[in-house]
RNA sequence: GCCGAGCUAGCUCAGUUGGUCAGAGCGGCUGUUUCGUAAACAGCAGGUCGUCGGUUCAAAUCCGACGCUCGGCUCCA
């Protein structure tokens, strides 16, 4: 354990000590340190409130003031059971004791009157805890399983010094200011309206600009890499998804099927129950349509629509395809977890020999995006199949090949990656690029997935050099992941200060008075003609107010125009990053912006 | 879906123990001002206090149900 973890872990023991003093009937589960602090899971009939938290915190201060020493004691298993019974914590601690493998040391730590089954380690004395704070109460299932009782989890954090704690709390406050849900509203990027539906994003004009620019950008890269653009509808027949496996494997995560009116009437006539209907849908006795949960079956049908020679491969079909998934209501979150989203999707059909090269091409695309946007704080995960075999389709031999291909490709990234069993798609393993949002939650953005299974399920073939039919391998990939989630994360990445090429409004012309209105309109027209997104601030405010508004709305450039500029056919440039950049000829300004946009320059650090 | 918290003008929020409590700032509109690098001045308009029901002489305020949002948990092809 690092010293910081040790401190936090000790603080969680102090928390438990205090809870037992305030609520002696509390049954304790576990209280580990975590990345941002610590928690303790407790089972208590009384619903803890914010006031309770304050009470507990006060008691913790007393425990710390009591100058309690942490002492370790190793015991054998029988003694351990005895101790747990003696302290009346059988409910969870006996189970936790059973988790400790035979042969490993079993230890208890004691501070003051509090004794806890614990592997350690701890600080020497409670007085070493100089700065802590209890943060929130949340529900958490025992052992993380929905089938178990939900306990109350108390989150807190601790630091070596009060200054560090204060800095951390300040940092949390600052982070909230760049939350995409707040900025999305402030900058009018997107809207979620309950009348439309939970988790369904309405892209307002400003947000649509950002998305459109990103799509245009990636589309150009796709052309270079030999992709073909396709378009497919938002729904497909249920039978299609029975074949692909989406319906059987993920039916609970889909919007319910759309059933044809006549079929429904017939079923009603037969007195069909809901249970029977569900059964008929599963068995394929009746058909219907599904809002598409993934684009692959549609793309597969385009591939399958004509015979392919090995000379045609790889076939790369790309589409900004919108898909719908029935995410649990408690999971929905701004733009990052939604029920309808558009993937910058593509499916590559290739020979097994071509697979490594094609994966690399996909990874390169992801890297181009991340580099262009200056996103370097991400991690890479190779998602492998887990132990629950019912979740996956296909033969183990193919899975082995696909997993090996992913692993090899990930190695070429030249950065560390983790291999995580259970994180694969049902049809194959994947390489995911994962980024944290402002409050530390991780989101999967770009993904590259290797799939031997869907080609088999759809009986896809190509004719090889031997004039025999062969099975292609598929790659599913989405370098942005979804436009919604990516833009959500991007808003936070830039704190709303988009680079000029992405900024919804790139420049705003600020006439000092309406005496120069004519020239101001001339400047706007010139910039619009050059292809920029520019507006005119015609309010009768003083310049300071106009500049303030431009700054608050995070417009990259304010172009100030007064009598001098009008006379000289010039503009006074004030940038978001540098402030007043001085007067320059209008032509020079146009050229400056043109270069900045063409090179997709990143925002300079603000002075 | 589960546990907990919240919901008052477009936005951010104030409304003590139920009784001129329906308010402020910003934004918007109108007028005056014509202004040189982060907020000119004045006036006006805007809300059935999330929804529905209940308690009460009286409900933004108390109770219940529902909806949505937020923080976690679970889930995430």
């Amino acid at each position: 354990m690092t010293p910081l973890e040790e401190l936090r872990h000790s603080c969680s023991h102090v928390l438990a000590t205090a809870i037992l003093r305030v609520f002696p009937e509390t049954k304790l589960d576990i209280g580990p340190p975590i990345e941002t602090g610590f928690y303790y899971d407790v089972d208590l009939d009384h619903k803890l409130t914010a006031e309770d938290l304050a009470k507990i915190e006060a008691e913790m201060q007393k425990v710390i003031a009591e100058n309690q020493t942490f002492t370790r004691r190793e015991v054998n298993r029988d003694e351990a059971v005895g101790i747990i019974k003696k302290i009346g914590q059988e409910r969870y601690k006996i189970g936790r004791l059973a988790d400790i493998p035979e042969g490993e040391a079993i230890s208890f730590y004691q501070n003051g009157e509090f004794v806890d089954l614990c592997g350690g380690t701890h600080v020497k004395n409670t007085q070493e805890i100089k700065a802590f704070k209890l943060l929130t109460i949340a529900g958490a299932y025992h052992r993380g399983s929905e089938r178990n009782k939900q306990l109350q989890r108390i989150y807190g954090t601790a630091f070596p010094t009060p200054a560090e704690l204060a800095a951390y709390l300040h940092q949390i406050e600052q982070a909230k200011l760049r939350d995409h849900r707040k900025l999305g509203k402030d900058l009018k990027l997107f809207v979620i309206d309950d009348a439309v539906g939970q988790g369904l994003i309405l892209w307002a004009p400003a947000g649509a600009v950002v998305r459109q620019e990103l799509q245009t950008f990636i589309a150009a890269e796709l052309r270079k890499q030999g992709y073909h653009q396709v378009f497919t509808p938002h729904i497909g027949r249920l039978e299609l998804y029975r074949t692909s496996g989406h319906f059987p494997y993920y039916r609970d995560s889909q919007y319910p099927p759309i059933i044809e009116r006549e079929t429904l009437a017939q079923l009603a006539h037969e007195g069909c129950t809901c249970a029977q209907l569900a059964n008929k849908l599963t068995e394929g006795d009746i058909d219907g349509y599904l809002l598409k949960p993934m684009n692959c079956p549609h793309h597969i049908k385009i591939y399958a629509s004509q015979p392919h020679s090995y000379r045609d491969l790889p076939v790369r079909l790309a589409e900004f395809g919108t898909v719908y998934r029935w995410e649990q209501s408690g999971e929905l979150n701004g733009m990052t977890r939604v029920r309808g989203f558009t993937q910058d999707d593509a499916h590559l059909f290739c020979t097994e020999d071509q697979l490594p090269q094609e994966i690399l091409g996909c990874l390169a695309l992801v890297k181009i995006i991340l580099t262009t946007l200056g996103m370097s704080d991400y991690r890479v995960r190779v998602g492998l199949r887990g132990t629950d075999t019912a979740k996956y389709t296909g033969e183990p031999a193919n899975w082995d090949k696909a997993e090996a291909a992913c692993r090899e490709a990930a190695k070429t990234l030249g950065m560390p990656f983790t291999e995580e069993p259970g994180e694969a798609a049902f049809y194959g393993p994947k390489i995911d690029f994962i980024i944290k949002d402002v409050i530390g939650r991780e989101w999967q953005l770009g993904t590259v997935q290797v799939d031997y299974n869907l080609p088999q399920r759809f009986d896809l073939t190509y004719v090889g050099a031997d004039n025999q039919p062969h099975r292609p391998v598929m790659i599913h990939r989405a370098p942005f992941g979804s436009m919604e989630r990516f833009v959500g994360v991007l808003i936070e990445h830039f704190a709303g200060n988009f680079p000029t090429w992405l900024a919804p409004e790139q420049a705003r012309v600020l006439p000092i008075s309406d005496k120069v209105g004519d020239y101001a309109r001339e400047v706007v027209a010139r910039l619009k003609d050059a292809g920029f997104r520019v507006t005119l601030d015609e309010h009768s405010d003083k310049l300071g107010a106009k500049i303030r508004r431009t700054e608050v709305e995070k417009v990259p450039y304010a172009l100030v125009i007064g009598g001098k500029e009008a006379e000289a056919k010039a503009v006074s440039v004030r940038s978001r990053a540098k402030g007043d950049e001085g007067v320059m000829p209008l032509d020079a300004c146009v050229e400056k912006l043109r270069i900045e946009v063409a090179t997709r320059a990143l925002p300079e650090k603000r002075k």
Side-chain angles (χ1 to χ4, degrees):
Chain A
M1 227 175 242
T2 67
L4 185 60
E5 284 171 336
E6 204 171 65
L7 176 77
R8 289 169 169 177
H9 185 199
S10 301
C11 197
S12 89
H13 276 227
V14 170
L15 166 60
T17 310
I19 292 174
L20 284 176
R21 285 186 185 178
V22 181
F23 302 101
E25 69 278 24
T26 307
K27 299 305 171 198
L28 302 169
D29 188 9
I30 49 167
I34 54 175
E35 201 177 334
T36 55
F38 63 87
Y39 66 80
Y40 216 114
D41 281 350
V42 302
D43 188 354
L44 180 63
D45 287 338
H46 169 74
K47 301 293 179 204
L48 291 168
T49 64
E51 294 80 68
D52 294 329
L53 231 49
K55 227 180 287 175
I56 293 166
E57 228 174 44
E59 196 59 44
M60 288 173 72
Q61 293 292 7
K62 284 190 202 162
V63 172
I64 290 169
E66 284 166 21
N67 196 13
Q68 299 177 350
T69 306
F70 282 95
T71 55
R72 178 187 172 95
R73 176 181 169 201
E74 290 195 17
V75 298
N76 66 34
R77 203 163 284 268
D78 289 342
E79 290 169 326
V81 172
I83 295 171
I84 290 169
K85 284 188 175 161
K86 193 174 156 204
I87 57 177
Q89 292 291 346
E90 298 96 315
R91 195 177 296 171
Y92 300 104
K93 296 296 183 183
I94 293 288
R96 296 292 177 185
L97 174 64
D99 292 345
I100 302 172
E102 286 300 331
E104 256 182 43
I106 295 171
S107 59
F108 283 81
Y109 273 80
Q110 178 159 11
N111 58 287
E113 78 277 15
F114 178 66
V115 178
D116 200 1
L117 174 69
C118 174
T121 49
H122 282 284
V123 297
K124 289 196 179 63
N125 189 290
T126 55
Q127 288 204 336
E128 288 182 45
I129 300 167
K130 306 285 190 200
F132 77 92
K133 185 172 174 55
L134 298 185
L135 300 170
T136 54
I137 305 159
Y141 298 108
H142 173 54
R143 290 186 186 279
S145 170
E146 234 173 338
R147 290 189 298 275
N148 292 337
K149 181 167 185 184
Q150 193 158 53
L151 309 177
Q152 300 188 73
R153 174 171 294 179
I154 302 172
Y155 281 98
T157 193
F159 286 88
T161 64
E164 285 167 274
L165 174 63
Y168 172 72
L169 296 176
H170 178 70
Q171 183 199 322
I172 291 177
E173 289 307 309
Q174 289 302 109
K176 282 183 190 159
L177 297 179
R178 55 160 65 192
D179 188 310
H180 78 279
R181 290 165 299 189
K182 174 177 168 51
L183 288 174
K185 192 182 280 182
D186 290 349
L187 303 178
K188 300 179 174 63
L189 297 168
F190 69 95
V191 179
I192 299 171
D193 189 313
D194 191 38
V196 174
Q198 284 182 279
L200 299 172
I201 302 296
L202 304 174
W203 294 77
V209 167
V210 177
R211 169 171 167 174
Q212 187 64 59
E213 288 292 341
L214 290 171
Q215 291 187 179
T216 302
F217 161 52
I218 194 69
E221 294 298 326
L222 296 188
R223 279 194 294 277
K224 287 184 210 163
Q225 286 207 13
Y227 282 76
H228 294 108
Q229 177 72 45
V230 298
F231 295 100
T232 66
H234 287 224
I235 64 174
R237 279 179 51 194
L238 209 43
E239 189 56 28
L240 180 71
Y241 297 104
R242 286 199 194 92
T243 304
S244 70
H246 291 97
F247 189 63
Y249 282 94
Y250 284 96
R251 61 179 300 173
D252 291 343
S253 308
Q254 291 160 3
Y255 276 84
I258 301 161
I259 300 167
E260 292 148 72
R261 199 177 288 117
E262 283 180 21
T263 308
L264 274 180
Q266 178 64 30
L267 290 169
H269 182 70
E270 292 167 8
C272 178
T273 66
C274 288
Q276 287 167 330
L277 173 61
N279 200 38
K280 283 177 187 294
L281 286 167
T282 305
E283 297 301 319
D285 292 341
I286 56 172
D287 204 10
Y289 288 86
L290 209 55
L291 274 170
K292 68 180 173 186
M294 285 187 94
N295 300 303
C296 28
H298 291 67
H299 292 181
I300 283 170
K301 285 301 183 187
I302 292 175
Y303 175 88
S305 67
Q306 51 184 301
H308 292 275
S309 152
Y310 70 98
R311 295 173 191 276
D312 302 336
L313 302 187
V315 170
R316 309 179 185 91
L317 304 179
E319 174 182 21
F320 291 98
T322 304
V323 299
Y324 299 88
R325 299 179 186 176
W326 187 260
E327 302 289 0
Q328 298 186 105
S329 61
E331 272 308 330
L332 298 173
N333 186 270
M335 292 184 109
T336 50
R337 192 76 186 270
V338 294
R339 284 186 173 163
F341 55 94
T342 302
Q343 299 174 309
D344 59 322
D345 210 357
H347 295 92
L348 289 71
F349 303 82
C350 64
T351 70
E352 212 167 336
D353 291 344
Q354 293 168 332
L355 184 61
Q357 188 60 37
E358 290 305 307
I359 298 176
L360 293 186
C362 295
L363 293 178
L365 269 178
V366 179
K367 287 174 87 171
I368 286 170
I369 287 170
L370 295 175
T371 304
T372 302
L373 295 166
M375 302 167 92
S376 54
D377 189 18
Y378 59 90
R379 71 182 186 91
V380 176
R381 169 180 73 193
V382 176
L384 308 172
R385 94 204 103 144
T387 48
D388 181 4
T389 51
K391 282 176 71 175
Y392 307 99
T393 179
E395 292 142 30
N398 283 336
W399 271 91
D400 289 341
K401 280 193 281 187
E403 290 181 346
C406 284
R407 197 178 281 120
E408 286 309 308
K411 283 180 188 167
T412 68
L413 285 169
M415 61 178 292
F417 60 89
T418 58
E419 294 188 19
E420 300 182 29
E423 293 296 333
F426 76 86
Y427 47 73
K430 53 188 187 141
I431 303 168
D432 293 328
F433 292 75
I434 296 169
I435 289 194
K436 279 186 191 169
D437 67 15
V438 289
I439 47 183
R441 290 185 286 214
E442 289 197 319
W443 301 103
Q444 174 202 309
L445 296 179
T447 184
V448 178
Q449 313 176 349
V450 176
D451 180 6
Y452 280 84
N453 288 305
L454 293 186
Q456 191 168 1
R457 281 176 162 268
F458 282 96
D459 193 24
L460 301 183
T461 59
Y462 66 89
V463 177
D466 57 2
N467 199 30
Q468 295 298 309
H470 295 271
R471 185 80 73 206
V473 186
M474 264 177 81
I475 298 173
H476 310 236
R477 49 85 301 175
F480 285 120
S482 88
M483 300 314 295
E484 284 77 5
R485 178 177 289 178
F486 192 88
V487 169
V489 171
L490 198 64
I491 291 167
E492 300 187 354
H493 171 66
F494 288 123
N497 295 303
F498 291 107
T500 306
W501 71 280
L502 286 176
E505 183 179 349
Q506 296 170 311
R508 184 176 297 176
V509 175
L510 311 182
I512 281 174
S513 82
D514 52 20
K515 287 177 189 162
V516 288
D518 286 342
Y519 178 59
R521 278 183 284 277
E522 192 181 318
V523 171
V524 169
R526 174 71 200 285
L527 286 163
K528 276 191 176 162
D529 193 47
F532 299 109
R533 299 181 287 271
V534 56
T535 64
L536 176 63
D537 186 341
E538 292 185 282
H539 290 85
S540 75
D541 292 302
K542 293 213 245 182
L543 180 61
K546 293 186 181 188
I547 285 180
R548 177 181 152 73
R549 201 155 44 230
T550 307
E551 293 276 356
V552 167
E553 293 172 21
K554 301 181 187 292
V555 178
Y557 285 98
L559 304 178
V560 177
I561 284 168
K564 286 177 286 184
E565 288 79 7
E567 199 167 323
K569 296 294 175 195
V571 292
S572 174
V573 176
R574 181 189 165 96
S575 70
R576 190 177 55 192
K578 295 181 184 167
D580 192 348
E581 294 193 31
V583 177
M584 66 176 72
L586 181 53
D587 287 341
C589 176
V590 169
E591 182 61 7
K592 173 183 167 69
L593 291 180
R594 192 192 65 75
I595 290 169
E596 189 169 322
V597 168
T599 59
R600 299 200 172 89
L602 288 167
E604 292 181 54
K605 286 276 177 244
R606 198 192 171 97
K607 281 184 176 170

